[in-house]
Amino acid sequence: MSERNLILIGPPGSGKGTQAKRLAKRFGIPQIATGDILREAAASGSEAGGRARSIMERGHLVPDDLVIDIVRARLAKEDCNPGFILDGFPRTTGQAEALDAILREQGRGPVRVVALVVADEELVRRILSRGESRADDNEGSLRNRLEVYDRETAPVLEHYRSALVEIDGMGDMAQITDAIVEALTEQR
Ligand code: ADP
């Protein structure tokens, strides 16, 4: 079977992390969540981690070159041979262009891009009512994350126009996973 290279894009609160985990399991590919990797780096007390932490807490994006280096190194690991699911990357068109170059460099096959679509009011409601809250789950930071998504990340969908499938992210978690799998396996 050929490699399955997936990118999952969605605003904060869209269920992107949950779906990425479920798809990783379903397809037997690793989930690469840049937010998780950055939070681990922040907790490790390294210098780059410390810088990333204060940026993340305010709901802004960490610099492109930092995440691009993280993703390049991660994709080169052997467990990515059958494919991968990127969760939270690329988040800017600069990152998308860098990813194109990395995949070319590493001789990888094409990517499919899944965008989760959820209304803004629902995103805010979900995040502010999330049981286990993160340092960046306060109202000010959330407002920034939503603005950053519209300004920086929404244009990434345009970059992937021909590889893109848009999925309604409202409703039952398991049904959304099935809708994604179905859209990915349809003949195109
Ligand atoms: P969410 O989608 O809820 O915002 P993530 O865990 O994906 O959560 O990201 C949390 C934070 O980590 C972001 O707000 C940002 O500060 C940082 N981050 C994650 N991925 C990237 C990326 N690709 N580029 C820049 N910053 C990132």
Side-chain angles (χ1 to χ4, degrees):
M1 200 195 71
S2 61
E3 52 191 299
R4 189 179 289 278
N5 303 332
L6 301 178
I7 296 174
L8 192 53
I9 298 181
S14 61
K16 169 174 60 76
T18 306
Q19 294 301 332
K21 276 193 191 66
R22 297 171 63 91
L23 293 167
K25 210 166 178 189
R26 182 84 70 107
F27 292 130
I29 51 178
Q31 172 200 14
I32 303 176
T34 46
D36 290 348
I37 296 172
L38 289 166
R39 275 186 291 277
E40 272 165 33
S44 78
S46 70
E47 200 216 308
R51 256 186 300 138
R53 181 167 62 199
S54 66
I55 297 172
M56 291 167 73
E57 283 179 357
R58 282 180 288 123
H60 293 292
L61 295 182
V62 306
D64 278 0
D65 53 355
L66 178 63
V67 264
I68 289 166
D69 286 348
I70 288 174
V71 169
R72 180 186 292 107
R74 183 64 190 83
L75 286 177
K77 297 210 168 142
E78 206 170 330
D79 64 332
C80 294
N81 287 349
F84 52 81
I85 177 155
L86 281 166
D87 161 9
F89 182 95
R91 254 179 159 93
T92 65
T93 50
Q95 292 178 16
E97 283 158 12
L99 179 63
D100 290 345
I102 291 169
L103 297 177
R104 228 179 5 252
E105 236 166 71
Q106 297 184 353
R108 309 213 53 135
V111 293
R112 300 293 303 277
V113 181
V114 176
L116 285 174
V117 182
V118 176
D120 270 10
E121 322 74 90
E122 173 68 9
L123 299 173
V124 175
R125 197 191 62 73
R126 285 185 189 177
I127 292 184
L128 297 179
S129 65
R130 194 139 80 178
E132 162 208 336
S133 77
R134 291 188 335 217
D136 60 351
D137 282 349
N138 56 74
E139 237 179 301
S141 166
L142 176 57
R143 204 170 320 109
N144 276 333
R145 281 152 64 206
L146 291 172
E147 270 173 32
V148 166
Y149 182 82
D150 287 338
R151 191 177 62 240
E152 309 276 349
T153 308
V156 173
L157 301 181
E158 200 51 32
H159 181 89
Y160 289 117
R161 220 174 12 236
S162 59
L164 186 66
V165 289
E166 289 191 291
I167 302 287
D168 183 359
M170 298 288 284
D172 178 72
M173 220 160 57
Q175 279 172 9
I176 295 169
T177 310
D178 290 342
I180 296 172
V181 172
E182 195 180 324
L184 289 174
T185 46
E186 260 165 27
Q187 286 297 337
R188 55 197 303 271

